[in-house]
Amino acid sequence: MDRRNFFRTTGLLVGTLAGSQFLVGCGSDDAGTTTAASAAPGAANLRNLVYMTPFQHIIAHADVYVAAHQGFFAAEGLLITPVGGTGTASSISQVAAKQAMFGKAASVITCPLIADQKTEVVTIGQKDQVSQYSVASLPDKPLTHPEQWQGKTIGVISKGGTTELQLDAMSVAAGLDPTKVKKVVTGADVGSLEFLRRGDVDGFITFIGTETSFKQKNIELHYLNTDEFAVLPGDSYLVTRETAEKEGEAITGFLRACRKAWEFMADPANGDKVLEAMGQFNEIEVSDKELAKAKVAGEVKVSTPKNGKFLSIDVAAWESAIDLMRKSGIIKDKSRPVTDFVNTSFVDAI
């Protein structure tokens, strides 16, 4: 299936980039590190570390921008340089190649790479506590169960990526054959709605940002969150295993600053400052202030754990997700423990 090609390609990227140059000013001996003096005036005493986003500079990654803007990283002795990625594979690849210390990816991407391709990365903090993704359908033809899209066409954000794998997992969790569902790429923006309106698809997977945009425009759709059938922990921070062993202080400082940023973002009174921080990296994302603030609220909602402590790792959810991925054929390995995929010690140390 396409997922095999995707993982083979990702593995190739990791192997290739590990021996290449990715010029973001990173040192070769210290994963994702630059000299702070060359990166920002007056920051000579701060350690500059690189964070590679999974996709561009968008509100989904705003905690890092807020942590920098509000001085939370500086308080930890850090100067974080965010670099906009071109896809989840780029984030993982650059971390594995030691060209960035921090990256971000969902469990459905990292777990197969760790289990079957022996990629030396590990999750150290879980951003999404609820799935970002839902299957959207017309209100008068709602899709409420995977059996309803057997033999039909569903739009996914990208071929072989997170959303296609999640859609397959939903079918498997319901005891259905995922190959009986036709998948086409409808993208990640509001234009995906046109595929549904034209009848090209019976439903499509959307994420919280686009869902918020639809609601702001009073576009009514039915949403079935992917967690309803397949709980697969979403975007989470990751580092290499070597970094986890050697850089405990830096990792804990990074996560502590990001948690403070989420707490800051959770207060609506800080809305303008959040948008100011985001705007330094992507002005278009905050050009519609009302929509941008709604997106921030949406991100806070999906990122708030039951215990109220942002970035907490739900180990039980990871264990069940790994079991489901094995059942779905997304993971071939049958024996590696959950501790090979996640390390909770840094979040616990905050």
Side-chain angles (χ1 to χ4, degrees):
M1 295 179 65
D2 289 297
R3 69 165 72 95
R4 297 194 186 100
N5 292 329
F6 173 77
F7 289 131
R8 276 200 295 268
T9 302
T10 305
L12 177 62
L13 279 170
V14 171
T16 302
L17 291 172
S20 66
Q21 296 288 327
F22 184 76
L23 299 180
V24 292
C26 303
S28 59
D29 297 328
D30 201 353
T33 302
T34 73
T35 55
S38 66
N45 295 323
L46 301 180
R47 187 178 177 197
N48 191 355
L49 303 175
V50 176
Y51 160 59
M52 172 70 68
T53 80
F55 183 72
Q56 299 182 7
H57 293 299
I58 57 177
I59 287 174
H61 319 312
D63 58 316
V64 172
Y65 313 135
V66 169
H69 190 261
Q70 292 302 123
F72 300 150
F73 284 134
E76 300 294 333
L78 302 175
L79 176 65
I80 301 299
T81 299
V83 177
T86 57
T88 304
S90 68
S91 185
I92 299 173
S93 296
Q94 297 310 320
V95 170
K98 299 183 180 180
Q99 302 295 340
M101 181 175 283
F102 302 100
K104 186 192 288 181
S107 62
V108 75
I109 300 297
T110 58
C111 289
L113 289 173
I114 293 168
D116 302 328
Q117 304 241 357
K118 308 299 187 280
T119 304
E120 292 295 314
V121 297
V122 64
T123 288
I124 44 100
Q126 182 178 334
K127 173 194 171 288
D128 291 347
Q129 305 292 324
V130 178
S131 176
Q132 287 260 354
Y133 302 105
S134 294
V135 179
S137 54
L138 294 172
D140 58 343
K141 297 179 182 178
L143 297 177
T144 61
H145 193 283
E147 64 186 7
Q148 292 175 285
W149 57 78
Q150 286 276 294
K152 296 184 178 180
T153 302
I154 302 295
V156 295
I157 291 177
S158 63
K159 197 66 174 174
T162 300
T163 53
E164 182 173 359
L165 295 173
Q166 285 186 306
L167 190 69
D168 286 354
M170 292 174 76
S171 292
V172 171
L176 301 167
D177 184 353
T179 66
K180 301 297 183 183
V181 182
K182 183 180 179 182
K183 297 101 173 176
V184 298
V185 176
T186 50
D189 59 22
V190 293
S192 53
L193 178 60
E194 292 306 308
F195 289 85
L196 183 64
R197 285 175 167 169
R198 292 198 305 261
D200 296 340
V201 298
D202 299 282
F204 64 93
I205 291 190
T206 185
F207 79 110
I208 188 65
T210 304
E211 184 177 330
T212 300
S213 296
F214 288 147
K215 291 178 178 177
Q216 287 291 109
K217 297 176 184 294
N218 294 316
I219 297 172
E220 292 188 14
L221 293 172
H222 178 273
Y223 298 99
L224 175 66
N225 191 277
T226 59
D227 275 357
E228 292 293 323
F229 287 90
V231 178
L232 300 173
D235 278 354
S236 302
Y237 286 113
L238 59 95
V239 297
T240 64
R241 288 190 172 281
E242 182 180 0
T243 297
E245 293 172 359
K246 298 180 178 180
E247 298 284 0
E249 183 177 352
I251 294 172
T252 302
F254 175 84
L255 294 175
R256 183 182 294 112
C258 288
R259 176 177 285 180
K260 288 180 180 178
W262 281 111
E263 293 169 347
F264 186 87
M265 291 163 62
D267 185 349
N270 297 325
D272 289 335
K273 291 182 179 179
V274 172
L275 298 194
E276 182 180 335
M278 181 71 243
Q280 292 183 353
F281 289 86
N282 186 343
E283 293 181 355
I284 296 176
E285 267 288 82
V286 298
S287 58
D288 183 334
K289 287 189 175 182
E290 183 179 353
L291 175 58
K293 288 181 179 180
K295 286 184 177 181
V296 170
E299 289 292 342
V300 170
K301 183 177 180 180
V302 301
S303 301
T304 303
K306 293 178 181 178
N307 64 10
K309 298 178 181 179
F310 290 100
L311 303 181
S312 293
I313 296 175
D314 186 344
V315 176
W318 282 80
E319 289 176 328
S320 65
I322 291 167
D323 287 341
L324 178 57
M325 284 187 267
R326 285 171 172 155
K327 183 179 179 181
S328 303
I330 295 173
I331 293 179
K332 308 304 178 186
D333 172 85
K334 304 295 183 183
S335 61
R336 298 185 70 162
V338 68
T339 50
D340 280 2
F341 303 94
V342 298
N343 184 333
T344 64
S345 63
F346 306 106
V347 172
D348 292 343
I350 299 176

